[in-house]
C-alpha cells in the first residue's frame, strides 16, 4: 500500500554535500503526521535497574536494552531474553533526560528497558528496507530533536501529531528515492573512509610481535599509584562563553564538557591570547569528561583542566592511554555536585603500569597501538565489505 501525499512542499533534510542537497531540492515533499505512518510498540515491563545491568553481554544477559542514552544508539546495557519483548527493524526514540527525542533505527534485536520506546511502520504490505528506515529516521529526528526537553519530554503522546516531510512522486511517498539517496550517501562516506585509511596508513592492522606480547602480558603488569602532580603539570583553561563565539567561524576546536565528538563543540576563530596548547589530557571540570586533545584549542569554562605530561616521551598513543587512566582512577570521586578542580586534583593519584619503579610509557604506547589495530581491523573489514556491496549495486544499475 502506498500512502498518498498530504500537503506538498520542498524540504531538504539538512546540511549535506552540495550535489546531494540539489537532489533533495529537486524532489517534491509531502507532509505527514507521525501517527498516520507509525504506531508505538507495546512492550513488557522489565523490573531491572540500569545500574545493576552489565554494559557488555554476559551469559544470559545478552539482549541489548534501550534506555535514554545516545551512546551506542541508546543500547548501553544487556538483559536476559526471558519475559523481554524482542524487537528488530524498528525506530527507537528517547523519551527522557538530556537526550530526549534522540532517534535511531535499530536493525538488530533489542528490547526496551526504560525512558525510551520504539515505533513501527504500520502498513504491513509496505516492507521497508534498511535504507528506507534510515531515511525515515533522519526525517523524524530533524523534526523532534531540539524541540523537547526535561520539562517537555518526547513521549509518543506528545510527538505523534508532529508532521514530518517525506519525498513524494505522483502523489505518493517515493520510497525509491529514499533507497537511492541513502545508497549514494553511504557510497560517498565509504569512499571518504577508504581515502582516510589509505592516507593515514591505518589499513595495516597486522600486530607486531611487541604488540602481541603487550596484549598477552598486560594482565600481569605491575601497577603503582602516582601523585597526579608527579605526572602532569595542571592548569585551568580560559573561559570563553558560547555567547562570545560564532559557531563554525574557524578551524580551531572549541571545547566543552561533553562526551560527544571528543568534547569539541564547534570550530572557531577567536582571540589567540585565549588559545590553549594542545597535546594534553583535557578534563571537563563540571562533568569529569576526559579526552586527549592533540591540537591547540579554546575552552568554554575556566573550571576545565588541561594536564600536560612532564615526561619527555610525549606521544599521541601514550597520552591516549593516560587519558583513560585519569578517568578510570578518578571518575568514582567526582560528580556534578562535587566537581574536580585544580586544587583537588593536586592531591589525587593515578594508577599506571610500572617498570623499574617508573611509569612504563613504552608499554602504554605499544598497548594502545595494539588496541587501535584491533579496532581498525573491524573498520577495514567493514570498509572492504561495503566497497564490494557498492560495486555490485553500481554494476546492477548499469
Amino acid at each position: 500500500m502506498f500512502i498518498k501525499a498530504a500537503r506538498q512542499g520542498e524540504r531538504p533534510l539538512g546540511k549535506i554535500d552540495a550535489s546531494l542537497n540539489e537532489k533533495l531540492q529537486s524532489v517534491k515533499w509531502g507532509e505527514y503526521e507521525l501517527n498516520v505512518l507509525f504506531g508505538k510498540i507495546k512492550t513488557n515491563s522489565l523490573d531491572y535497574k540500569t545500574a545493576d545491568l552489565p554494559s557488555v553481554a554476559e551469559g544470559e544477559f545478552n539482549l541489548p536494552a534501550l534506555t535514554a542514552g545516545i551512546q551506542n544508539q541508546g543500547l548501553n546495557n544487556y538483559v536476559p531474553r526471558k519475559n523481554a519483548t524482542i524487537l528488530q527493524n524498528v525506530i527507537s526514540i528517547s523519551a527522557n533526560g538530556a537526550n530526549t527525542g534522540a532517534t535511531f533505527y535499530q536493525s538488530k534485536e533489542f528490547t526496551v528497558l526504560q525512558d525510551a520506546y520504539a515505533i513501527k511502520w504500520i502498513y504491513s504490505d509496505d516492507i521497508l528496507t534498511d535504507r528506507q528506515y534510515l531515511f525515515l529516521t533522519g526525517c523524524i529526528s530533524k523534526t523532534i530533536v531540539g524541540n523537547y526537553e526535561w520539562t517537555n519530554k518526547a513521549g509518543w503522546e506528545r510527538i505523534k501529531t508532529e508532521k514530518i516531510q517525506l519525498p513524494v512522486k505522483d502523489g505518493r511517498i517515493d520510497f525509491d528515492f529514499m533507497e537511492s539517496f541513502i545508497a549514494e550517501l553511504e557510497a560517498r562516506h565509504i569512499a571518504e573512509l577508504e581515502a582516510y585509511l589509505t592516507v593515514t596508513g591505518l589499513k595495516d592492522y597486522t600486530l607486531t610481535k611487541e604488540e602481541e606480547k603487550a596484549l598477552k602480558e598486560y594482565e600481569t603488569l605491575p601497577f603503582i599509584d602516582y601523585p597526579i602532580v608527579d605526572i602532569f603539570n595542571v592548569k585551568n583553561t580560559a573561559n570563553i562563553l558560547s555567547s562570545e563565539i560564532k559557531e563554525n567561524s574557524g578551524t580551531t576546536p572549541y571545547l566543552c564538557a561533553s562526551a560527544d565528538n571528543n568534547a569539541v563543540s564547534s570550530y572557531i576563530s577567536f582571540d589567540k591570547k585565549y588559545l590553549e596548547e594542545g597535546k594534553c589530557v583535557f578534563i571537563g571540570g563540571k562533568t569529569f569528561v576526559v579526552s586527549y586533545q592533540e591540537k591547540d584549542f579554546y575552552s568554554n569554562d575556566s573550571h576545565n583542566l588541561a594536564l600536560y605530561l612532564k615526561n619527555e616521551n610525549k606521544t599521541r598513543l601514550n597520552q591516549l592511554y593516560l587519558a583513560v587512566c585519569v578517568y578510570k582512577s578518578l571518575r568514582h570521586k567526582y560528580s556534578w555536585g562535587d566537581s574536580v578542580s585544580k586544587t583537588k586534583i593536586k592531591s589525587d593519584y593515578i594508577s599506571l603500569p610500572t617498570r623499574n619503579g617508573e611509569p612504563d610509557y613504552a608499554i602504554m604506547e605499544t598497548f594502545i597501538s595494539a588496541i587501535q589495530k584491533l579496532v581498525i581491523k573491524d573498520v577495514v573489514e567493514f570498509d572492504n565489505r561495503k566497497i564490494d556491496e557498492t560495486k555490485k549495486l553500481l554494476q546492477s544499475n548499469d
Side-chain angles (χ1 to χ4, degrees):
M1 175 181 180
F2 287 100
I3 316 302
K4 289 187 177 180
R7 186 173 62 81
Q8 289 192 359
E10 294 185 358
R11 173 71 177 245
L13 285 180
K15 287 185 178 179
I16 260 177
D17 175 271
S19 61
L20 286 176
N21 199 44
E22 283 183 16
K23 289 190 174 184
L24 291 175
Q25 296 283 1
S26 68
V27 300
K28 294 296 183 180
W29 295 81
E31 188 176 77
Y32 302 82
E33 283 191 3
L34 282 174
N35 60 2
V36 172
L37 306 176
F38 297 93
K40 182 182 178 183
I41 303 172
K42 185 177 180 180
T43 57
N44 293 338
S45 178
L46 300 177
D47 190 23
Y48 299 112
K49 293 182 179 179
T50 305
D52 298 332
L53 295 171
S55 57
V56 295
E58 296 177 356
E60 66 172 341
F61 290 79
N62 58 22
L63 181 64
L66 178 71
T67 62
I70 57 173
Q71 302 298 324
N72 197 34
Q73 299 202 164
L75 304 174
N76 293 311
N77 300 95
Y78 290 81
V79 300
R81 290 173 175 266
K82 185 178 180 180
N83 298 325
T85 304
I86 299 177
L87 306 173
Q88 187 176 9
N89 297 331
V90 296
I91 294 173
S92 69
I93 300 176
S94 170
N96 202 354
N99 306 308
T100 189
T103 310
F104 300 105
Y105 169 55
Q106 307 289 356
S107 62
K108 297 180 180 179
E109 289 186 344
F110 75 104
T111 193
V112 174
L113 185 58
Q114 61 188 39
D115 294 331
Y117 56 95
I119 60 175
K120 65 178 180 181
W121 184 254
I122 62 178
Y123 296 96
S124 58
D125 44 355
D126 282 335
I127 300 174
L128 302 184
T129 67
D130 287 349
R131 292 191 178 102
Q132 290 163 356
Y133 261 119
L134 286 169
F135 192 102
L136 288 164
T137 301
C139 293
I140 296 172
S141 180
K142 181 172 177 59
T143 298
I144 66 174
V145 171
N147 293 327
Y148 293 87
E149 55 190 357
W150 285 94
T151 56
N152 183 29
K153 299 171 184 177
W156 178 243
E157 291 303 312
R158 278 203 176 102
I159 75 162
K160 68 181 184 181
T161 55
E162 290 276 13
K163 296 179 174 64
I164 63 172
Q165 303 285 336
L166 297 179
V168 295
K169 184 177 182 181
D170 298 328
R172 295 174 175 175
I173 295 176
D174 192 349
F175 293 106
D176 290 338
F177 177 82
M178 295 184 195
E179 182 78 17
S180 62
F181 182 85
I182 295 297
E184 185 172 349
L185 192 60
E186 285 178 346
R188 295 191 181 208
H189 285 317
I190 290 300
E192 291 173 0
L193 174 61
E194 172 75 4
Y196 173 78
L197 292 172
T198 301
V199 169
T200 57
L202 290 174
K203 294 205 76 166
D204 177 16
Y205 54 76
T206 304
L207 295 175
T208 65
K209 290 182 178 179
E210 291 78 10
E211 289 165 346
E212 289 180 346
K213 182 180 179 183
L215 290 173
K216 184 178 180 180
E217 298 179 353
Y218 189 75
E219 294 297 328
T220 64
L221 287 177
F223 277 71
I224 289 180
D225 289 345
Y226 294 89
I228 284 282
V229 291
D230 285 358
I231 306 300
F232 298 103
N233 291 314
V234 181
K235 65 164 290 189
N236 287 104
T237 64
N239 182 42
I240 303 173
L241 299 177
S242 59
S243 59
E244 299 179 71
I245 65 140
K246 181 179 179 181
E247 290 191 357
N248 303 315
S249 59
T251 58
T252 304
Y254 174 64
L255 306 187
C256 60
S258 169
D260 296 337
N261 198 30
N262 205 48
V264 179
S265 173
S266 181
Y267 290 88
I268 66 171
S269 176
F270 202 75
D271 191 334
K272 292 189 180 300
K273 74 179 181 181
Y274 296 105
L275 191 64
E276 308 289 349
E277 184 181 351
K279 294 183 172 55
C280 69
V281 174
F282 174 82
I283 301 177
K286 293 177 181 176
T287 60
F288 205 76
V289 167
V290 183
S291 60
Y292 170 63
Q293 300 297 331
E294 188 164 20
K295 298 179 179 179
D296 294 350
F297 61 91
Y298 293 107
S299 171
N300 77 327
D301 197 328
S302 58
H303 288 94
N304 298 333
L305 301 177
L307 278 57
Y308 295 93
L309 183 62
K310 289 184 174 181
N311 191 280
E312 292 182 358
N313 187 20
K314 294 182 181 180
T315 69
R316 175 179 175 272
L317 294 180
N318 63 29
Q319 293 204 81
L320 284 170
Y321 186 98
L322 287 165
V324 175
C325 290
V326 169
Y327 181 72
K328 290 287 188 179
S329 297
L330 302 179
R331 65 176 177 176
H332 66 281
K333 185 175 180 181
Y334 296 110
S335 63
W336 185 272
D338 184 17
S339 58
V340 69
S341 68
K342 180 179 177 181
T343 300
K344 290 178 183 177
I345 204 170
K346 284 185 174 182
S347 62
D348 287 329
Y349 288 76
I350 181 174
S351 183
L352 299 175
T354 301
R355 184 189 297 272
N356 299 325
E358 296 291 335
D360 192 347
Y361 294 105
I363 196 63
M364 296 180 201
E365 183 165 358
T366 304
F367 182 76
I368 290 295
S369 177
I371 295 297
Q372 180 175 265
K373 286 184 177 180
L374 291 177
V375 173
I376 225 62
K377 177 182 178 181
D378 291 338
V379 175
V380 173
E381 290 177 348
F382 168 81
D383 175 52
N384 291 336
R385 277 199 315 274
K386 282 294 185 180
I387 288 174
D388 290 340
E389 290 175 9
T390 301
K391 287 179 180 177
K392 291 177 183 177
L393 179 65
L394 293 175
Q395 289 170 358
S396 67
N397 291 333
D398 289 341

